[in-house]
Amino acid sequence: MSGEAVKIKGTREGLVIMLDPTREFEELKTSLKKKMEAAPHFFRGARFIVYGRAISPSQQLELENLCRRYGLVPAPQIPWPPERKRRPVPGEPARLVYGPLRSGQEVRHAGHVVVLGNVHPGAQVVAGGSIIIMGYGQGSLHAGYGGNEEALIAAFALSPTTLLIAGVLADPPEAPPATGGPVTALLREGRVVFLPSLPRQKP
């Protein structure tokens, strides 16, 4: 802490008396006493903890007794520093498959599946959510297993042996040819359609 040797921070649970770790104990005690004397009735009855500098038990007791003389009440159960709330990661969890899936390999997952490679003929991917293939999608692909009609299948090119979304079988010849960009299969009006790009997210 720069500036003041002692700072007093209010929380919902009480006061946190923060000590500058670079200052000597006598300077900290003098600074704390001046703050107490500046508002002798303001802190009366408030719960507090002392935080911010490694001090001996006797020094800790000395500061606590100083605060007691001005009506403060030690409360070691005040949580400090406060726990940081983790921000939720945007999007939805997915199973990552590192590398290609070859003939005879099978992946089944209740959520989304992302394959970082090609899905070769003879391989199978079954997902309760969407299937994203960072390569060519061949073999057997079933997204939305269990009835998720919002699921989709996307790949750089799609030429699957079978392709289903929410149990609806697609007609493979309808898939557009490889164009160097993503191809997406999704359900529209109960029928699997293919788009030569990823669909825009709904606002």
Side-chain angles (χ1 to χ4, degrees), residues 75-192:
Q77 70 273 20
I78 293 176
W80 193 264
E83 293 184 1
R84 293 183 178 180
K85 294 183 178 179
R86 294 184 177 180
R87 295 182 178 180
V89 178
E92 300 178 33
R95 178 176 176 182
L96 290 178
V97 179
Y98 295 94
L101 290 175
R102 305 190 184 281
S103 179
Q105 292 183 301
E106 179 180 316
V107 172
R108 290 179 176 267
H109 183 60
H112 304 306
V113 173
V114 178
V115 181
L116 303 180
N118 298 324
V119 177
H120 292 278
Q124 184 177 28
V125 181
V126 180
S130 296
I131 299 172
I132 308 297
I133 302 168
M134 306 302 291
Y136 295 97
Q138 299 172 304
S140 178
L141 308 174
H142 189 172
Y145 181 80
N148 181 3
E149 296 184 354
E150 298 297 319
L152 56 83
I153 298 173
F156 289 150
L158 283 173
S159 54
T161 307
T162 57
L163 186 149
L164 298 93
I165 297 180
V168 177
L169 181 64
D171 185 1
E174 292 184 4
T179 59
V183 179
T184 303
L186 53 92
L187 275 184
R188 283 189 177 172
E189 299 180 353
R191 177 170 168 267
V192 177

